[in-house]
Amino acid sequence: KFRAWVNTQRQFYKNGKLDKARIAKLNSINFNWAPDLGKFPEYFEKLIQFKEKFGHTVVTSGDSEKSLSKWVYKMRTAYNNKTIIKDHYEKLETIGFVWDTDEYYWNLKFEELTNYIKKYNTVIVSIKIEPKLVNWVRTQKLNYRNKKLKARREQLLRGIGMKFDESEEGPQ
């Protein structure tokens, strides 16, 4: 009966039907929302090996380690839902775990843009040289026009000389 009750709590939680007070009570006793996370040491070690090989912890579904990709996704989901086990969070932090992949990928492209500017001494990216980077820059400008560009990102882009519309003086 206890196992059925536990599974019911997990299912209600997963479906958003568990009330916040009950979630808080269960969290206070370190309730295990995802029993398959009990394999933490095994997957943590695999993640360390992945990072040593690739230099990051962003394991995607396209990588050869499908089960590791699923586990990493579950860790991020638990973190975002505030259900991650504190010890797991702390261990993942020690290896520089990437919690926000959107921010990670944005920062990579920003670094690519700054390297381009250093190399070519211009913020205007040539489609012949870096077509993917041109598309990324266009997306940032589109996000700015649609008021979807985060203030921090706008500040960083302006800091390297990007102009967002024609009314801004100077070369792009």
Side-chain angles (χ1 to χ4, degrees):
K1 287 185 176 189
F2 179 71
R3 178 177 269 172
W5 179 85
V6 167
N7 287 333
T8 299
Q9 303 315 298
R10 288 182 179 135
Q11 196 60 44
F12 282 177
Y13 176 79
K14 185 177 179 180
N15 295 331
K17 295 180 179 178
L18 197 60
D19 105 357
K20 290 182 181 185
R22 182 166 287 184
I23 292 170
K25 280 184 180 180
L26 290 167
N27 282 339
S28 75
I29 61 165
N30 291 324
F31 184 80
N32 186 355
W33 294 103
D36 54 333
L37 298 180
K39 296 182 177 183
F40 184 88
E42 173 190 338
Y43 280 106
F44 184 69
E45 186 56 39
K46 284 183 180 182
L47 184 60
I48 289 171
Q49 291 169 6
F50 182 92
K51 184 176 182 182
E52 287 172 357
K53 185 174 181 181
F54 297 104
H56 60 78
T57 61
V58 182
V59 186
T60 65
S61 58
D63 289 313
S64 60
E65 284 284 338
K66 299 284 187 212
S67 64
L68 182 59
S69 169
K70 289 178 183 177
W71 180 81
V72 164
Y73 176 80
K74 287 176 183 179
M75 289 291 109
R76 287 193 183 102
T77 302
Y79 172 77
N80 290 331
N81 292 337
K82 297 180 178 23
T83 58
I84 191 164
I85 296 168
K86 184 180 178 188
D87 182 56
H88 294 179
Y89 170 80
E90 290 170 353
K91 284 182 178 167
L92 289 165
E93 278 288 294
T94 66
I95 64 165
F97 187 77
V98 175
W99 298 106
D100 185 343
T101 56
D102 177 56
E103 192 69 17
Y104 172 80
Y105 287 120
W106 192 93
N107 287 329
L108 284 180
K109 281 297 187 184
F110 180 77
E111 184 178 344
E112 195 177 320
L113 178 60
T114 57
N115 290 336
Y116 181 92
I117 292 168
K118 286 176 190 169
K119 184 174 182 178
Y120 296 102
N121 200 30
T122 180
V123 74
I124 302 171
V125 182
S126 167
I127 197 159
K128 291 178 183 176
I129 299 171
E130 293 288 348
K132 290 181 180 177
L133 189 55
V134 168
N135 288 335
W136 183 81
V137 168
R138 286 179 182 159
T139 299
Q140 303 317 300
K141 290 182 177 187
L142 181 64
N143 287 343
Y144 172 81
R145 281 194 296 279
N146 292 332
K147 300 189 183 332
K148 292 181 180 178
L149 186 63
K150 295 176 182 176
R152 185 189 79 75
R153 292 178 178 183
E154 179 185 345
Q155 182 180 11
L156 286 170
L157 291 166
R158 287 188 186 280
I160 59 169
M162 184 180 286
K163 310 290 186 224
F164 288 94
D165 55 45
E166 296 79 31
S167 66
E168 297 182 52
E169 293 181 27
Q172 290 262 350

